[in-house]
Structure formats: C-alpha cells, structure tokens
Amino acid sequence: MDVREQARWTRARLGHHGPPLDLLTARFDRHVYAPHAHDEYTVGVTVGGLEVIAYRGGRIHSGPGSIVVLEPGEMHTGGPAAPEGYAYRALYADPALLTDGTLGGLPHFREPVLDDPELAHALRAAHTDLTHCPDPLEAESRLPWLLTALARRHSTARAADDTVPGADRLARVVRDRLADELLAPPSLASLATDLGLSRYQLLRAFRTTMGIPPYAWLAQYRVTRARRLLEAGLRPAEVASLVGFADQAHLTRWFRRVLGVTPAAYRNSVQDGAR
C-alpha cells in the first residue's frame, strides 16, 4: 500500500474476557469506500484533511475535530473531499454501549457530523492510547463512558438518573476487588452485576468517589507496588509482569505519569542512595 494510503486495525476487549471492540486508524489520499453498512455504530473523529460521506441520500463533509456518527444498518460510503486526502480514527460500538445511561431505546443521531471539541479530544485520546496498548480494564473504563456521553449529549435518547445510592461504599468495594486481583482484574460488567448496578452506574459511583476512573486508580496502585519492588532491586522488565502491566513500556508510561521519571531512573536513584 502507498505510504499515503494507510489503515490499521486494533481489537480491544471491554474487560477481561469481555466482548471485542474494533479500532481503526486510517489515512487516505485516494481510497473511496464502496457503499456498505455496519451492524455497530461507527463513531469517528477526523484528525486531518476533509472527508465526504454519502449518507441518508445526501453528502456530508467532516473536517479536523469533527465527530462522525453513522448508525447501524445505514448504507454509506467515504472518501477524500480535497487533494490532500483525510485522516481519521474510528471505533465500532455495539448498540448496547450507547444505551447504558440513557432512556428511550436505541439512540438516534439526527445530525451525523457533530461539533463537540471536548468529546472529540477525549475520543481521540482514548483511541490513541488503546491502539498502542489495548488494556481491557482501560478500554472498559473509558469507551463505554465516552459513548454514553455521546448519546446523552447528541442523540434523541434521554439521560438516565445519575444518582447512585451508597456510591462511596460501592466504590470502595470495587477498589478493593481491583487491588486484590491486580494481575487479572475482573471486568466492570461482572462487578456491576454482582453489585446490582449497570456498568454506567458503577463508573459514575467510582469516578464521583475516587475522582478518577477504575483503570487509572488501578494503574496508580500498580505503580505504588512497582516502587517497592524496584527499591528491592528488581529490574523494570520483571516488575511490570509482577504488578499486572502488559509489558515494560506500559509500566514506563504510567510510572512517568505518576512520578515523572522512568522506572529505570527511579531504580538507579534509590539504589545509589542505598550505597
């Protein structure tokens, strides 16, 4: 394929052993999709150039920062609308992911091209992170939350009640389960079922109480555990698997986010101080 015609698929799972969700990163100068439809919602963010899509009997255009939502079963095409082509990130979401946290059946999007810079940035960031490291708990913490926000803000569906009685207690139960099973954390869907909640209610309770989503809390807890092992002299590559990170790069990404240095630099500094 020409260097300017690129498409990369990544499959993330929503929770350990959970259902798959496909992510597409694409950049096209000339390629035009044949008319087709998907069983899922197609949710895309245009990141460069200009795209034209034949949809619902007309033609729509999407430029940088726009969110595009194509509904299940809707025939469409897609191709460049300018000589420089276009680039986008897309995910393919089971319809059920947009009904958790909403009322009124399947969300209908009257406008397929949406202007919502905050949500577009969050969708693009989640897509990028999960393409590089499709961690199941991170995917399940971020994508359903963002898709619910998309449906609540821009579709005909009504927002469900956000109140979660006993949110503090519920969040602590989830926190303790994640800490106890950090090597293979349970899915949020299974935790929600055990607690008699929807996944959206669980995420709402946890974020409200802890201030961060479950995957971010667990990552920081893993970093704390990693520090102790690095201080004991273990190498970063060993530590990553012992605390549940996918690999050393995953450990390094979170270690730098939390502490501002790499695991290797931290290990060297504490080892030097011990001599």
Side-chain angles (χ1 to χ4, degrees):
M1 179 179 287
D2 187 283
V3 70
R4 302 286 285 176
E5 304 283 297
Q6 301 177 8
R8 175 189 176 193
W9 288 86
T10 302
R11 173 157 287 185
R13 289 205 170 272
L14 299 177
H16 195 53
H17 299 309
L21 188 149
D22 287 333
L23 306 167
L24 171 63
T25 302
R27 199 266 178 247
F28 296 127
D29 272 0
R30 299 181 301 275
H31 177 71
V32 177
Y33 286 103
H36 66 286
H38 301 283
D39 294 333
E40 311 93 342
Y41 282 91
T42 302
V43 179
V45 178
T46 305
V47 300
L50 187 67
E51 181 183 12
V52 60
I53 302 169
Y55 187 67
R56 293 178 179 164
R59 289 162 68 86
I60 58 176
H61 291 80
S62 175
S66 295
I67 300 173
V68 178
V69 182
L70 308 177
E71 295 189 19
E74 291 273 13
M75 199 66 65
H76 61 278
T77 66
E84 66 270 21
Y86 68 105
Y88 69 102
R89 311 285 185 268
L91 59 85
Y92 299 84
D94 186 276
L97 291 172
L98 282 81
T99 59
D100 194 4
T102 62
L103 304 170
L106 277 184
H108 171 59
F109 294 82
R110 295 191 180 97
E111 298 296 330
V113 180
L114 307 172
D115 180 22
D116 188 332
E118 178 189 29
L119 186 55
H121 175 77
L123 284 166
R124 180 177 178 179
H127 191 289
T128 298
D129 290 344
L130 291 167
T131 296
H132 291 154
C133 182
D135 176 79
L137 182 65
E138 182 171 358
E140 195 180 18
S141 295
R142 296 177 77 174
L143 296 179
W145 181 263
L146 292 174
L147 292 169
T148 296
L150 177 71
R152 288 164 67 114
R153 291 186 190 184
H154 297 289
S155 81
T156 56
R158 304 186 309 278
D161 185 3
D162 278 343
T163 304
V164 183
D168 290 358
R169 178 187 62 80
L170 294 168
R172 288 193 294 271
V173 170
V174 173
R175 177 200 64 191
D176 292 346
R177 283 286 303 276
L178 294 177
D180 289 344
E181 301 176 48
L182 83 166
L183 295 182
S187 72
L188 300 182
S190 66
L191 287 172
T193 298
D194 291 346
L195 295 169
L197 303 171
S198 71
R199 180 165 47 197
Y200 176 77
Q201 289 174 317
L202 183 150
L203 284 166
R204 178 80 182 179
F206 197 95
R207 292 171 71 111
T208 300
T209 301
M210 301 298 177
I212 53 177
Y215 82 94
W217 183 89
L218 183 59
Q220 294 187 31
Y221 180 76
R222 285 169 167 165
V223 167
T224 299
R225 295 283 296 267
R227 286 181 66 182
R228 298 174 191 158
L229 296 174
L230 291 167
E231 289 165 5
L234 274 69
R235 298 188 304 275
E238 298 174 284
V239 170
S241 61
L242 292 174
V243 299
F245 284 113
D247 51 30
Q248 187 174 343
H250 195 198
L251 165 66
T252 298
R253 176 160 65 96
W254 273 102
F255 210 90
R256 292 190 67 175
R257 284 184 182 182
V258 175
L259 296 176
V261 297
T262 66
Y266 178 82
R267 178 177 180 269
N268 291 339
S269 66
V270 297
Q271 293 295 305
D272 289 343
R275 286 197 285 267

